[in-house]
């Protein structure tokens, strides 16, 4: 099974995600936070580091929360077989690796909120942050269409919802394999 490594998952979203010098003044400490985020292999490790940083430096500014959110998204991408998260204006493109592309219809159904309801399945359901989801088969990418100009105000919640979508997709795949 070929899955992208963390360094192979490109993420480009209209969010500011970094550790500001005003929050963590020592460069070596900021570098250490980035290093540990890059090495985190699970959501639990990212969450644990987020708690540690909060305990040490106080409530984080939005850019730091976004950084941890991007780390969670990167892990969800790796598990789901998504090789890139790109943007096209206000829309998000999830570029799928070969294995995820084989299950593209399932991902589209989850993104559209159609899957999981009949099974009482886990993951996101009901109203979505995005207006529409479409799969471009020739490009092996799922396009999530967001309201124009909404990223500055709602970017962090969008980030969390995209992560939840990919985690639900991965969980469904794991359940299918275990049957």
């Amino acid at each position: 099974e070929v899955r992208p490594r963390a360094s192979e998952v490109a993420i480009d979203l209209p969010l500011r995600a970094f550790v500001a010098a005003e929050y963590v003044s020592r460069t070596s400490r900021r570098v250490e936070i980035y290093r540990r985020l890059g090495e985190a292999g699970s959501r639990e490790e990212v969450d644990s580091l987020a708690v540690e940083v909060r305990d040490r430096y106080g409530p984080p500014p939005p850019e730091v929360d976004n950084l941890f959110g991007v780390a969670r998204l990167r892990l969800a991408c790796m598990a789901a077989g998504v090789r890139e998260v790109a943007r096209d204006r206000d829309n998000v493109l999830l570029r799928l690796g070969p294995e995820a592309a084989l299950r593209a219809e399932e991902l589209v159904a989850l993104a559209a909120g159609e899957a999981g309801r009949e099974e009482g399945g886990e993951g996101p359901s009901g109203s979505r942050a995005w207006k529409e989801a479409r799969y471009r088969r020739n490009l092996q990418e799922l396009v999530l269409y967001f309201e124009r100009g909404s990223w500055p105000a709602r970017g962090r919640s969008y980030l969390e919802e995209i992560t939840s979508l990919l985690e639900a997709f991965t969980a469904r795949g794991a359940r299918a394999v275990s049957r």
Side-chain angles (χ1 to χ4, degrees), residues 1 3 76-82 96-111 115 119 135 137 140 142 165-177 179:
E1 188 170 329
R3 297 239 188 259
C77 287
M78 289 169 47
V82 172
L96 309 184
E99 290 190 20
L102 293 174
R103 297 177 50 218
E105 292 77 17
E106 189 177 345
L107 181 57
V108 172
L110 271 172
E119 301 171 20
Y135 185 62
R137 186 172 310 284
Q140 293 187 326
L142 176 66
L165 167 68
L166 294 176
E167 288 172 342
F169 177 65
T170 300
R172 289 174 67 88
R175 279 200 312 271
V177 168
R179 287 183 184 157

Side-chain angles (χ1 to χ4, degrees), residues 109-118 120-130 161 164-165 168 172:
L110 271 172
E114 298 162 4
R117 285 193 209 132
E118 65 283 346
E122 59 195 72
S125 62
S127 66
R128 294 268 176 252
W130 46 87
E161 194 155 349
S164 293
L165 167 68
R172 289 174 67 88

Side-chain angles (χ1 to χ4, degrees), residues 8-81:
E8 296 173 340
V9 176
I11 296 179
D12 176 23
L13 291 174
L15 288 172
R16 295 169 47 87
F18 61 93
V19 181
E22 296 79 24
Y23 182 60
V24 178
S25 58
R26 288 185 56 196
T27 302
S28 62
R29 299 283 187 206
R30 289 194 309 275
V31 169
E32 175 74 5
I33 292 168
Y34 288 121
R35 182 189 63 75
R36 289 181 59 195
L37 266 180
E39 292 174 353
S42 70
R43 183 182 186 102
E44 292 74 26
E45 288 179 52
V46 172
D47 293 345
S48 175
L49 180 58
V51 168
E52 183 181 324
V53 167
R54 175 183 289 277
D55 288 349
R56 184 173 206 164
Y57 301 103
E63 297 83 9
V64 174
D65 280 337
N66 290 344
L67 181 66
F68 284 102
V70 168
R72 290 179 193 100
L73 175 61
R74 187 177 310 280
L75 290 168
C77 287
M78 289 169 47

